């Protein structure tokens, strides 16, 4: 069968023949129909993620849509790689895809949909009426965040990103205002300050934009305040580090949390979120753009800027 195979960390996977994996006890051989290409796949393959593979060569991808031997359409996870014509899974790692929802859309929504919903509800505990800033709102996850935050009753949603084409679409998804991130530092700080504060920040970027935002939070007087700004760190598209002045932590209500494997909701909660997010998508209550690309082109599209549209590889 054909698969996207990584031979060395930091290189792009190659489309090549590999043996079909034989199912072991309790395993099912899935016919893969759609496999998303996420930033997680890319950083794992780059060798810059804490869970990057140690045994190579390896088939890339950890999640896909596919068809089980009994004909059921499912989203499934697999430790053996999913960017292939066939992959192994177990029933407990499968979630049925609702009727009417296309496999490529289901595959595309899992990573940004579940993580964003969990980051907003589980980590940030976003309450109706709160003000939200999304750093990296032009990405696939950021666009989902705009839509889910609106559903969760956020009072004001400010969406910050660089790509002007995608930024212009965000009010249509539910953003109240947008901030262009690629502007001089002081102008960007002024744009953040002009909003007058946020209860929650969803951060897909870290690095310079987040650092500049954090620098706007400190006060310059000794007045007692009891503000809270819960910043949930989800992705590191603009950098792996920020400088964090201690005085900002003492003179503001900044609280920094992360969302990821170390602090996720219990599996049954995540399963419910995935079910709910697919139902929303199937019912037209959530929009996500996908670009279907033959798996054979995996090497060519691996590093491309997806510009707000999730690439989905079709075996
Ligand atoms: N922790 C988790 O469970 C979890 C789950 C899902 C995603 N994530 C992470 O969240 C991040 C976003 O995911 P995604 O699916 O939305 O990715 P995406 O669709 O590729 O979007 C990338 C976003 O990052 C922005 N960006 C890239 N480089 C930048 C830079 N140097 N400076 C400023 N902005 C920059 C892009 O802005 P423009 O397009 O405007 O240039 C865009 O908004 C990724 O790091 C991903 O790994 C984490």
């Amino acid at each position: 069968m054909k698969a996207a195979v990584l031979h060395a960390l930091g290189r792009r996977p190659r489309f090549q023949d590999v043996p079909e994996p034989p199912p072991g006890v309790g395993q099912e051989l899935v016919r893969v129909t759609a496999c998303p290409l996420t930033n997680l796949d890319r950083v794992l393959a780059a060798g810059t993620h804490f869970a990057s593979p140690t045994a190579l060569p390896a088939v890339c991808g950890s999640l896909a849509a596919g068809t089980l031997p009994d004909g059921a359409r499912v989203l499934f996870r697999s430790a053996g790689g999913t960017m292939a014509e066939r992959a192994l899974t177990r029933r407990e790692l499968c979630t049925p895809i609702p009727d009417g929802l296309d496999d490529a859309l289901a595959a595309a929504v899992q990573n940004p949909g579940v993580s964003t919903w969990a980051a907003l509800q589980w980590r940030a505990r976003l309450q109706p009426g709160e003000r939200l800033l999304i750093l990296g709102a032009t990405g696939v996850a950021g666009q989902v965040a705009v839509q889910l935050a609106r559903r969760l009753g956020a009072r004001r949603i400010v969406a910050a990103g660089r790509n002007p084409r995608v930024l212009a679409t965000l009010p249509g998804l539910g953003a109240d205002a947008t901030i262009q991130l690629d502007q001089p530092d002081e102008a960007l700080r002024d744009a953040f300050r002009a909003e007058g504060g946020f209860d929650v920040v969803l951060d897909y970027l870290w690095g310079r934009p987040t650092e500049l935002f954090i620098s706007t939070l400190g006060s310059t007087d000794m007045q007692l305040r009891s503000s809270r700004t819960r910043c949930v760190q989800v992705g590191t598209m603009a950098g792996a580090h920020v400088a964090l002045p201690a005085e900002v932590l003492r003179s503001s209500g900044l609280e920094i949390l992360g969302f990821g494997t170390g602090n996720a909701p219990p599996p049954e909660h995540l399963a419910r979120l995935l079910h709910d997010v697919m139902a929303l998508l199937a019912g037209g209550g959530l929009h996500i753009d996908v670009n279907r690309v033959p798996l054979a082109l995996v090497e060519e599209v691996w590093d491309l800027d997806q510009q707000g549209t999730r690439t989905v590889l079709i075996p």
Side-chain angles (χ1 to χ4, degrees), residues 1 16 36 42-43 61 75 85 92 106 116 135 180 188 190 201 223 227 244-245 247 272-273 308:
M1 68 171 189
Q16 64 172 78
R42 300 203 283 204
V43 293
L75 266 191
E85 289 177 307
E92 63 270 24
T116 296
L135 294 170
Q180 187 74 43
L188 181 55
D190 287 346
V201 180
Q223 201 181 316
S227 63
L244 179 59
E247 63 184 25
R272 205 166 48 245
L273 286 184

Side-chain angles (χ1 to χ4, degrees), residues 39-40 42 111-112 115 136-142 161-163 181 204-205 209 234-238 259-260 305-308 310:
N39 285 295
L40 176 62
R42 300 203 283 204
N111 170 278
S115 60
T138 42
V140 176
R162 296 183 307 183
N163 184 315
L181 281 178
Y204 295 102
L205 302 180
V234 188
T236 50
M237 294 303 295
F259 175 76
D305 180 349
Q306 298 189 2
Q307 302 196 23
R310 178 61 76 239

